[in-house]
Amino acid sequence: MEPVSLFDLASKQARWLAVRQTSVAGNVANANTPGYLATDVEPFEKVLDRRPVTLAATQTGHFGTPSAKDKVAVRPVEYSGPELPSKNTVVLENELMKAGEIRRSFELNTAIVKAFHAMMMTVTKG
Amino acid sequence: MDALTAALKVAASGLGAQSERLRVVSENLANAQSTGTAPGADPYRRKTISFAAELDRLTGVSLVEINSIDRDPSDFPVAFQPGHEAADENGYVKMPNVNVLIEMADMTEANRSYEANLQVIRQARDLISMTIDLLRSQS
């Protein structure tokens, strides 16, 4: 019962960004590991569009199934650069770029939540 | 586990791996002139390090770990030093197969990777504190 689904959307994006940051951390840590393939998360639109099929809980005794909709898939990215003898596909510069992108988005995200929260407080306090 | 905490953990494993690499480089550099002691004996053999990705079962992310520390099997250069205690009957001493330039390049790269890992830690920490800031009283 939420009039505006902004908080839900924002927390979804925050979760997605956190997973993406983990993927960047893995890539940077494994920048010198032979045979390691750089990974990235699926685009956020895909996470939003997902309509998973879950079992309906029609009785109170039913166990909830772990919802697959909050899971963000991390998979190796395609690599177009020159093939190195170590077969490692991490480009450190790209990872730092991605990190900057994540930071900006996260800042925007928390700022929006903050502003929205302030609006709600204005309404309640009058 | 929270994804950002997992990110911190991954970056910390990267820091550990790179400092181990720096340790190997410093061993090689320190022993760049270490010859054997008996006539014709082998000198210090250069060490090499390699990493491997290790899946962390708890969080499902790939940490980095030391795969192995091996010895460089390349040939030793020889120097003509007849008075040396490790000189063979012809007066040649086997020198370690350490190339200082290569070690320096390796050190620079370890440094760069270490910095990148630190940057990731800094950022993960900032993201966490941005989230905590939401809870602070506004107005």
Side-chain angles (χ1 to χ4, degrees):
Chain A
M1 123 86 216
E2 197 159 353
V4 190
S5 67
L6 185 124
F7 285 123
D8 180 44
L9 184 66
S11 64
K12 241 183 212 167
Q13 202 210 4
R15 205 174 305 125
W16 178 78
L17 285 169
V19 174
R20 192 160 196 222
Q21 174 74 14
T22 313
S23 138
V24 168
N27 291 344
V28 171
N30 285 294
N32 300 116
T33 304
Y36 181 84
L37 303 175
T39 60
D40 199 354
V41 295
E42 56 189 343
F44 186 55
E45 299 92 79
K46 263 195 175 167
V47 181
L48 276 186
D49 289 347
R50 205 166 318 140
R51 297 262 181 281
V53 182
T54 46
L55 292 177
T58 49
Q59 278 183 23
T60 45
H62 282 165
F63 285 112
T65 45
S67 76
K69 88 175 174 204
D70 292 340
K71 209 108 176 85
V72 181
V74 179
R75 52 175 69 92
V77 285
E78 275 179 37
Y79 175 68
S80 53
E83 188 174 311
L84 300 172
S86 66
K87 301 261 188 286
N88 186 311
T89 63
V90 178
V91 185
L92 219 45
E93 289 78 8
N94 287 355
E95 298 307 321
L96 293 180
M97 286 250 299
K98 261 197 294 194
E101 224 169 83
I102 292 167
R103 186 193 199 92
R104 274 196 303 281
S105 311
F106 209 89
E107 257 166 22
L108 180 65
N109 184 307
T110 49
I112 288 175
V113 170
K114 213 178 251 178
F116 215 70
H117 179 247
M119 279 182 215
M120 284 199 151
M121 289 317 261
T122 321
V123 172
T124 41
K125 281 180 190 164
Chain B
M1 197 192 253
D2 170 40
L4 285 176
T5 322
L8 284 176
K9 197 174 168 188
V10 175
S13 82
L15 288 183
Q18 296 302 332
S19 43
E20 195 67 21
R21 181 183 187 183
L22 200 61
R23 198 210 63 174
V24 170
V25 168
S26 70
E27 263 180 72
N28 288 341
L29 279 177
N31 285 296
Q33 302 293 328
S34 303
T35 56
T37 45
D42 278 352
Y44 174 81
R45 205 175 256 288
R46 171 173 180 258
K47 285 184 181 176
T48 57
I49 188 168
S50 76
F51 302 135
E54 179 204 21
L55 188 73
D56 186 32
R57 301 241 170 256
L58 189 66
T59 50
V61 295
S62 35
L63 302 178
V64 60
E65 57 163 10
I66 310 291
N67 185 23
S68 62
I69 296 183
D70 296 320
R71 296 287 186 157
D72 182 353
S74 64
D75 293 335
F76 296 119
V78 289
F80 185 64
Q81 287 180 18
H84 198 283
E85 63 171 337
D88 61 6
E89 63 269 19
N90 298 322
Y92 287 102
V93 180
K94 283 185 193 164
M95 300 303 283
N97 54 352
V98 175
N99 187 337
V100 177
L101 273 180
I102 293 177
E103 299 304 326
M104 283 297 176
D106 213 26
M107 189 166 78
T108 313
E109 202 175 319
N111 200 1
R112 208 174 74 119
S113 299
Y114 196 92
E115 264 173 32
N117 276 300
L118 270 185
Q119 189 63 38
V120 170
I121 288 188
R122 212 170 285 146
Q123 166 144 345
R125 206 187 50 198
D126 285 355
L127 295 192
I128 292 173
S129 63
M130 269 182 229
T131 314
I132 295 174
D133 273 350
L134 284 177
L135 293 174
R136 287 194 210 289
S137 67
Q138 305 149 11
S139 78

